[in-house]
Amino acid sequence: MWNTILLTMAIVALAFILLGIKVIFVKGGKFPNTHIGANKEMKKRGISCALSTDSVDRNKKQLADLLKEK
């Protein structure tokens, strides 16, 4: 049983190291930005992520509500 646990821990540790090679070994390295808003092709097509779109829509609604009250 301990052999299985140690083997599992070793595999998980190796996976973390392999996934973080660029971050760990490259000076100033960081994980790539996979956010939709950072994709050039999506920007060209006017597509943004749902969170950004929702935030913009909420701000527009709040502004409209404020102007409506006056």
Side-chain angles (χ1 to χ4, degrees), residues 18-48:
L18 291 176
L19 286 170
I21 283 179
K22 185 176 178 183
V23 176
I24 295 170
F25 297 114
V26 175
K27 185 176 182 177
K30 50 185 159 177
F31 287 106
N33 186 359
T34 58
H35 195 265
I36 289 173
N39 188 315
K40 291 178 186 177
E41 286 299 316
M42 293 291 199
K43 283 182 183 178
K44 285 181 188 176
R45 297 176 186 185
I47 299 171
S48 62

Side-chain angles (χ1 to χ4, degrees), residues 35-64:
H35 195 265
I36 289 173
N39 188 315
K40 291 178 186 177
E41 286 299 316
M42 293 291 199
K43 283 182 183 178
K44 285 181 188 176
R45 297 176 186 185
I47 299 171
S48 62
C49 84
L51 292 176
S52 298
T53 304
D54 183 53
S55 176
V56 169
D57 289 344
R58 285 177 188 259
N59 288 337
K60 284 181 183 177
K61 183 177 182 323
Q62 287 175 353
L63 181 60

Side-chain angles (χ1 to χ4, degrees), residues 1-22:
M1 181 173 123
W2 285 105
N3 290 339
T4 306
I5 293 172
L6 290 175
L7 179 63
T8 303
M9 288 174 57
I11 291 171
V12 170
L14 180 64
F16 272 108
I17 290 169
L18 291 176
L19 286 170
I21 283 179
K22 185 176 178 183

